[in-house]
């Protein structure tokens, strides 16, 4: 009999999540039925979307999230023992999976996938640059911003999992001028000195509008927005005519409720007079091209064009701390938990 640990949602998050919002419980798993297999978690992801997304679900569910795990028992020949899978199994150490049970209606109901062959790279990358965040960067930048060589790209949340990859594709693959916005001098130094960004702005210590005007006096063609709020308004007032804005996320608002949403400068004037195009997206839009993104990102890693960093928290019990630390900006690159 296998004992699983899991975090269940005891209280819906309000403002910054509190440790008592989640409860760590143990359960005994039953024997496998035909077609099922048992997964032992190795790496779990903590991502910003979890904060707003989980509110859609009733109390008592297992906290949502993706993990990379190893199949340790199987009654399904398509998922043999020893293989690794990546899937939205939630914050659990052990999970019985029935691949027939997935509806695929949204990101977190996608069927678990056997990991692609990534050679000697860490399987944990399938939660980051070779997984959902990597594909978010790839499709969001190429399909929504549609940048052209020589253009200027600004990315906010630039030192995180998605942003750091967006900037590197922009700079090292597409030949754009790339400016990142991030929350510390250390992160800004990493972006410029190690990842090749042309410039980085610390939004906590600098006036974003003033620093951006200096870094891109001719204006901005593409803005990849991970944060929303006034950082984004400042960028959008410096767009060139016919600029394109990809709205990927709005983390500056995730810990707010409807009554306390941060106020930001009105955007309509710059959108009209600069004839801007702004489009939100969810990466599952490209579910049918998922492998294309992963293979491209893998190729760029192997060619040395893109680099990746992980902020690893050890121990399943520390999932909550890792989650809140990521929301507070303590991660550089992808935040993950190693069991
Ligand atoms: P990150 O690795 O970027 O981690 C979150 C980062 O957000 C923190 O490190 C912190 O960095 C920054 N942050 C926190 N609070 C604020 C704030 N108030 N203002 C500005 N920055 C803040 O996470 P991801 O790369 O996984 O996700 C980045 C964004 O992309 C999120 O908004 C997420 O929801 C979105 N996303 C959207 C997807 C889609 O399909 N549309 C898919 C995946 C992600 P700092 O120190 O710089 O403040």
């Amino acid at each position: 009999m296998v004992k699983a640990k899991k975090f269940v949602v005891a209280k819906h998050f309000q403002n910054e999540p509190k440790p008592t919002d989640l409860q760590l419980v143990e359960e005994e798993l039953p024997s496998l039925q035909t077609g099922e297999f048992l997964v032992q978690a190795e790496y779990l992801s903590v991502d910003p979307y979890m904060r707003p997304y989980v509110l859609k679900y009733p109390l008592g569910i297992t906290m949502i999230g993706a993990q990379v795990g190893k199949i340790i028992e199987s009654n399904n020949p398509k998922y043999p023992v020893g293989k690794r899978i990546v899937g939205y199994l939630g914050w659990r150490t052990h999970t019985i999976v029935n691949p027939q049970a997935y509806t695929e209606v949204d990101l977190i109901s996608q069927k678990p996938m056997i990991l692609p062959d990534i050679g000697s790279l860490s399987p944990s990358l399938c939660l980051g640059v070779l997984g959902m965040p990597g594909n978010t960067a790839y499709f969001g930048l190429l399909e929504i911003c549609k940048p052209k060589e020589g253009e200027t790209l600004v990315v906010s949340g630039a030192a995180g999992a998605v942003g750091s990859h967006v900037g590197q594709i922009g700079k090292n693959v597409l030949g754009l001028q790339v400016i990142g916005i991030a929350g510390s001098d250390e992160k800004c130094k990493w972006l410029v000195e190690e990842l090749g960004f042309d410039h980085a702005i610390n939004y906590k210590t600098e006036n974003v509008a003033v620093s951006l005007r200096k870094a891109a006096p001719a204006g901005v063609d593409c803005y990849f927005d991970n944060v929303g709020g006034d950082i984004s308004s400042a960028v959008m007032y410096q767009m060139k005519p016919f600029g394109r804005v990809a709205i990927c996320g709005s983390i500056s608002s995730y810990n707010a409720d409807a009554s306390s949403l941060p106020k930001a400068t009105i955007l309509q004037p710059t959108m009209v007079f600069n004839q801007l195009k702004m489009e939100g997206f969810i990466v599952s839009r490209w579910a049918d091209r998922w492998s294309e993104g992963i293979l491209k990102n893998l190729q760029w890693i192997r060619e040395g064009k893109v680099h990746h960093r992980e902020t690893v928290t050890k121990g399943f019990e520390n999932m909550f701390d890792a989650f809140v630390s990521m929301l507070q900006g303590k991660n550089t690159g992808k935040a993950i938990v190693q069991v």
Side-chain angles (χ1 to χ4, degrees):
M1 194 71 80
V2 175
K3 273 204 172 153
K5 286 183 192 158
K6 61 178 183 178
F7 282 89
V8 297
V9 179
K11 205 162 169 256
H12 278 140
F13 299 137
Q14 271 189 312
N15 307 117
E16 187 163 287
K18 293 165 212 47
T20 47
D21 295 336
L22 301 179
Q23 201 183 351
L24 181 57
V25 295
E26 270 192 7
E27 68 179 2
E28 283 191 355
L29 298 182
S31 311
L32 295 186
Q33 302 294 308
T34 310
E36 292 181 340
F37 58 92
L38 176 64
V39 176
Q40 181 169 9
E42 294 180 318
Y43 302 96
L44 295 105
S45 190
V46 284
D47 299 87
Y49 77 84
M50 295 169 173
R51 168 64 184 82
Y53 213 82
V54 72
L55 301 182
K56 299 202 298 190
Y57 297 95
L59 296 179
I61 63 145
T62 303
M63 179 61 188
I64 57 173
Q67 60 172 261
V68 165
K70 207 177 226 176
I71 299 175
I72 56 170
E73 217 184 301
S74 180
N75 273 346
N76 188 325
K78 288 189 187 149
Y79 296 88
V81 170
K83 286 277 184 198
R84 288 193 169 91
I85 59 107
V86 56
Y88 289 86
L89 306 184
W91 291 20
R92 316 178 44 98
T93 57
H94 297 80
T95 310
I96 292 177
V97 178
N98 173 2
Q100 305 293 343
Y102 289 82
T103 54
E104 314 244 329
V105 291
D106 59 10
L107 189 69
I108 72 160
S109 58
Q110 280 177 357
K111 193 185 285 189
M113 273 178 19
I114 302 240
L115 248 56
D117 179 9
I118 59 169
S120 58
L121 293 166
S122 169
S124 61
L125 298 191
C126 294
L127 298 172
V129 65
L130 296 177
M132 185 277 282
N135 273 1
T136 302
Y138 175 81
F139 290 112
L141 180 63
L142 297 182
E143 299 294 333
I144 308 285
C145 286
K146 296 189 190 299
K148 298 182 225 29
E149 196 178 340
E151 286 191 329
T152 297
L153 164 73
V154 173
V155 52
S156 55
V162 175
S164 61
H165 196 52
V166 168
Q168 292 184 86
I169 298 175
K171 183 73 211 170
N172 306 331
V173 178
L174 304 176
L176 310 176
Q177 189 206 2
V178 176
I179 298 159
I181 304 175
S184 75
D185 287 345
E186 209 183 348
K187 289 184 181 187
C188 289
K189 194 164 178 256
W190 177 62
L191 295 176
V192 174
E193 292 184 4
E194 291 186 42
L195 303 189
F197 283 47
D198 295 284
H199 193 84
I201 298 168
N202 179 347
Y203 73 89
K204 291 192 177 154
T205 58
E206 296 176 58
N207 178 314
V208 173
V210 171
S211 297
L212 183 57
R213 181 73 66 204
K214 276 192 211 144
V220 174
D221 299 282
C222 300
Y223 175 40
F224 192 103
D225 184 7
N226 282 317
V227 306
D230 244 351
I231 293 175
S232 298
S233 301
V235 177
M236 287 189 58
Y237 272 89
Q238 297 191 32
M239 302 289 293
K240 288 186 196 167
F242 298 101
R244 287 87 63 203
V245 182
I247 306 289
C248 175
S250 63
I251 194 164
S252 67
S253 70
Y254 289 175
N255 279 339
D257 56 30
S259 63
S260 64
L261 278 175
K263 301 268 180 295
T265 307
I266 187 170
L267 293 176
Q268 280 79 357
T270 183
M271 291 208 59
V272 173
F273 295 117
N274 289 311
Q275 306 191 63
L276 305 180
K277 192 181 259 185
M278 169 161 124
E279 184 174 345
F281 70 92
I282 297 176
V283 64
S284 51
R285 189 194 297 195
W286 296 281
D288 59 339
R289 292 173 59 192
W290 205 250
S291 307
E292 172 196 322
I294 290 177
L295 291 176
K296 265 290 172 206
N297 288 330
L298 182 58
Q299 179 194 327
W300 289 332
I301 291 174
R302 289 191 167 142
E303 290 171 354
K305 289 184 174 150
V306 298
H307 299 277
H308 49 84
R309 189 181 274 191
E310 292 177 325
T311 298
V312 183
T313 302
K314 294 222 164 118
F316 180 75
E317 288 75 9
N318 298 319
M319 288 290 301
F320 179 83
D321 290 345
F323 177 52
V324 171
S325 294
M326 177 277 301
L327 291 174
Q328 292 171 342
K330 293 188 184 138
N331 63 308
T332 301
K334 179 74 190 97
I336 56 162
V337 173
Q338 184 172 14
V339 177

